[in-house]
Amino acid sequence: MRLRLVLGKRGEPFRVPRHYNYPLQSLIYRYLDEHLATQLHDVGFGDGAKRFKFFTFSRLIGDFQQAGDDLVFPKGATLYIASPNMAFLESLLMHLLTIGELTIHNSVIPIFRIEALPMPEYQEEVILRALSPITIRETLQQCDGKRTTYYYAPTEPEFSARIIANLAEKVLIWYGRSVEPGDAFCTPYAVNEAKNFHMANYKGTWVKGWTGLYRFRAPREYFQMALDAGLGERNSGGFGCVEVYTPRP
């Protein structure tokens, strides 16, 4: 399930930092019941190194202009927040309705409307639109012993394989059972490696990711997890939020 937030008032532009992923993530945690926020932030779900927060959010979607280190939205924006965790969504929704605004740095952004969107009907193969950049990485050991982070582009075979493997781990942890992926894949459908490439500064680390459209084929549990928890990594930092794409007639 996901929430759709329509932000801003007509005739009242608002601005946010250009790299707003972390401030927005921090705001989401602040708008949860304290015990839930602590559990998610400090522990998450899973054992050992494989732990997930099981929520994701989109970019601020709307027309904007760059103004130095800020982005200015003159006509408002839309934000999607998704999770399979109903306790998370219910807590967040109650706080959003009570407070009625988002405060990001020095900007107080009114919430014009909130909608709860149901899960789309399952389809074995769909086109997904990335509402925030999808990121998949691997830490590589260099000859000199140093480590470097390599981000896979959508055109590389490892991109699809790692997307599906990541979903398999999420499904196992959330549902408590393994679901074989079969012939699942996530490959670029309409992705321009230059236009759809993004770099975001997240907590001082530059994260690479790609938006665009992707062909996605997977079992029902993977489909639901992709939409509720996101594709790829760093989902709770605002990466990998997707929706089912329906072409306009």
Side-chain angles (χ1 to χ4, degrees):
M1 186 175 171
R2 65 184 52 201
L3 303 177
R4 180 177 183 263
L5 282 62
V6 180
L7 306 174
K9 287 185 178 180
R10 181 174 296 181
E12 297 183 12
F14 66 83
R15 65 171 58 209
V16 296
R18 183 175 181 181
H19 301 285
Y20 55 78
N21 289 61
Y22 181 57
L24 189 48
Q25 180 196 49
S26 300
L27 183 68
I28 290 172
Y29 280 121
R30 290 202 303 273
Y31 280 23
L32 296 174
D33 293 337
E34 185 176 356
H35 71 281
L36 180 58
T38 300
Q39 171 68 23
L40 280 179
H41 183 273
D42 296 348
V43 182
F45 294 88
D47 298 317
K50 294 297 181 183
R51 292 185 177 272
F52 299 98
K53 312 299 184 183
F54 284 107
F55 74 88
T56 189
F57 57 91
S58 71
R59 295 185 297 171
L60 292 172
I61 300 170
D63 295 332
F64 64 86
Q65 293 99 37
Q66 295 189 27
D69 292 332
D70 291 341
L71 302 178
V72 178
F73 290 82
K75 299 180 181 179
T78 299
L79 172 68
Y80 294 90
I81 304 172
S83 177
N85 187 346
M86 290 304 299
F88 166 88
L89 290 175
E90 290 171 0
S91 177
L92 180 62
L93 177 60
M94 290 303 299
H95 284 81
L96 290 172
L97 290 172
T98 300
I99 298 171
E101 60 191 23
L102 303 182
T103 302
I104 303 178
H105 279 201
N106 297 321
S107 293
V108 178
I109 307 167
I111 301 173
F112 178 73
R113 184 170 67 250
I114 304 177
E115 299 171 302
L117 305 179
M119 173 66 65
E121 184 178 349
Y122 169 65
Q123 301 174 61
E124 189 175 38
E125 186 171 326
V126 294
I127 302 298
L128 296 180
R129 185 211 307 266
L131 300 176
S132 56
I134 301 170
T135 183
I136 284 287
R137 61 188 166 145
E138 182 179 7
T139 301
L140 303 176
Q141 190 86 22
Q142 296 180 323
C143 296
D144 59 3
K146 295 182 180 179
R147 292 187 172 188
T148 184
T149 301
Y150 181 81
Y151 289 89
Y152 288 101
T155 51
E156 297 180 273
E158 291 88 348
F159 181 90
S160 175
R162 287 175 176 268
I163 288 283
I164 300 304
N166 177 272
L167 282 174
E169 292 172 344
K170 291 171 180 169
V171 166
L172 174 61
I173 291 172
W174 186 254
Y175 293 106
R177 57 186 174 87
S178 177
V179 177
E180 289 299 320
D183 58 353
F185 60 79
C186 181
T187 56
Y189 175 76
V191 179
N192 183 303
E193 285 204 54
K195 180 181 177 181
N196 294 122
F197 173 72
H198 302 271
M199 287 188 67
N201 191 316
Y202 175 71
K203 298 172 65 173
T205 298
W206 287 98
V207 179
K208 300 177 182 179
W210 284 263
T211 53
L213 302 178
Y214 298 83
R215 289 181 63 218
F216 180 77
R217 180 184 179 90
R220 181 185 299 273
E221 292 87 350
Y222 287 54
F223 172 83
Q224 294 175 339
M225 192 57 63
L227 292 172
D228 278 347
L231 291 179
E233 302 172 343
R234 298 186 183 270
N235 302 131
S236 65
F239 296 91
C241 184
V242 296
E243 68 175 2
V244 174
Y245 172 69
T246 303
R248 294 180 180 178

